Amino acid sequence: MALLTPEDLEDLSSQFEESESIIERVTGNKLADICKELYGKDMGSEKVGIIPITAGNGIISNFTSSLLFIAQRLGLEGFITQHTDVAGYYEAIRDGADILLMADDHLFIAHNLRNGKLVTNHEATGIIYSEIASRFKDASSNEILVIGLGRVGYAGAKHLTKKGFNVYACDPNRDFLEKAVHELGIMEYCKEDHKKFSMVFEATPNANTITEGMIAERCLVSTPGIPCGLPQEVGRKHRVDLVMEPLLIGVTSMLYSVI
Ligand code: 2YG
Ligand code: MG
């Protein structure tokens, strides 16, 4: 799984604010309102404990400070524990955290100690980015393209099929594709069909996965993927709207899903 770098998290607040304004322009809804509708509840007065984890590749500078930024921006009280790992876990609970946020190289989770709810970043990210794509105001049909059927892509494809969208998908990994076709009933996207989409949810760790042949006159690309799947020249030439942000849209979805 692609690990974030400190560079990815530079100017995160302005990246996030810019994404929020694009989301509102292309869907007509604010990100927070989309999450309230998606998860059916609003933020309360939960206290968020953020625990730095040194396992694997270790601490990513400004990762936990970014999480604190988004918790406070959502109006929640938050703190980063002085200690890391288990000592940090103990400290967070001792100091009254209701929700714990922590990530190693394999999983990034939110755990609500009050109601027992537990969510992973890849599920919450897949759900919110596919939801944003599905709300494109200028969509020309209810057909939507999912590129990448790994953990994030699969979670989004599942969410979209549940919402009744006609989901087409592609992934170079045949096993991933057959699993999603079999379990979710989605359709394989074949470029020979020359089908064009006004809504694209891209969830790959690769660049330039989107080609001109895929996109309709008006198109929204929603992607948490780093590097960006939309080639700049294609985006400019076809005036594609792009919702792309490395962390905080997914974390917003995580926090709303466990309250
Ligand atoms: O506590 C720390 O600083 C580190 N243990 C955090 C490690 C996070 C590793 N995971 C990732 O970089 C991404 N999977 C996070 C989610 C990115 C979503 N676009
Ligand atoms: Mg990508």
Side-chain angles (χ1 to χ4, degrees):
M1 173 175 54
L3 297 181
L4 290 169
T5 65
E7 292 71 38
D8 294 331
L9 301 179
E10 271 160 16
D11 297 336
L12 199 57
S13 54
S14 51
Q15 285 190 57
F16 182 63
E17 269 134 29
E18 194 203 337
S19 298
E20 281 194 304
S21 61
I22 295 171
I23 291 168
E24 192 163 357
R25 177 170 57 75
V26 298
T27 69
N29 311 118
K30 289 183 182 314
L31 175 62
D33 296 334
I34 294 174
C35 288
K36 285 175 196 157
E37 281 171 34
L38 205 45
Y39 297 110
K41 48 195 150 32
D42 196 356
M43 284 294 164
S45 57
E46 287 81 2
K47 189 173 182 179
V48 180
I50 299 158
I51 307 157
I53 303 293
T54 62
N57 285 303
I59 300 286
I60 299 174
S61 63
N62 57 25
F63 178 76
T64 48
S65 56
S66 302
L67 303 184
L68 182 59
F69 165 79
I70 193 69
Q72 292 172 337
R73 199 159 182 292
L74 291 170
L76 300 174
E77 192 189 340
F79 64 100
I80 300 172
T81 58
Q82 299 302 315
H83 296 88
T84 65
D85 310 308
V86 177
Y89 188 88
Y90 175 84
E91 182 189 336
I93 294 175
R94 183 200 61 206
D95 294 357
D98 302 303
I99 295 173
L100 303 179
L101 289 177
M102 55 189 152
D104 63 17
D105 297 351
H106 307 289
L107 270 186
F108 172 17
I109 64 169
H111 185 200
N112 185 327
L113 303 173
R114 307 299 167 233
N115 61 19
K117 288 186 177 166
L118 178 64
V119 71
T120 64
N121 175 267
H122 60 266
E123 285 166 309
T125 297
I127 288 170
I128 190 64
Y129 275 89
S130 61
E131 176 72 20
I132 290 166
S134 74
R135 287 173 175 242
F136 183 36
K137 283 190 308 186
D138 304 343
S140 51
S141 78
N142 81 333
E143 293 177 338
I144 186 163
L145 177 61
V146 175
I147 303 175
L149 290 166
R151 303 193 302 177
V152 175
Y154 184 94
K158 184 176 181 182
H159 176 64
L160 293 168
T161 48
K162 258 196 306 193
K163 288 192 63 165
F165 282 86
N166 276 345
V167 180
Y168 290 77
C170 54
D171 192 303
N173 179 317
R174 296 288 321 160
D175 299 340
F176 281 9
L177 190 61
E178 274 148 24
K179 178 175 182 293
V181 168
H182 178 64
E183 294 174 358
L184 304 178
I186 60 163
M187 291 154 282
E188 177 177 359
Y189 164 79
C190 307
K191 64 174 176 295
E192 295 71 33
D193 306 351
H194 303 299
K195 188 175 271 298
K196 294 184 175 300
F197 297 86
S198 55
M199 299 178 280
V200 177
F201 163 51
E202 197 272 4
T204 77
N206 310 321
N208 307 333
T209 55
I210 297 169
T211 60
E212 270 187 271
M214 291 172 174
I215 51 180
E217 180 53 30
R218 291 286 295 115
C219 181
L220 169 62
V221 171
S222 177
T223 177
I226 299 173
C228 184
L230 178 69
Q232 287 209 339
E233 70 280 358
V234 172
R236 243 195 319 276
K237 186 174 170 200
H238 295 271
R239 287 191 303 103
V240 176
D241 286 306
L242 175 64
V243 172
M244 183 181 84
E245 185 273 336
L247 184 63
L248 301 183
I249 292 175
V251 175
T252 302
S253 178
M254 290 172 85
L255 289 170
Y256 270 96
S257 70
V258 296
I259 52 174

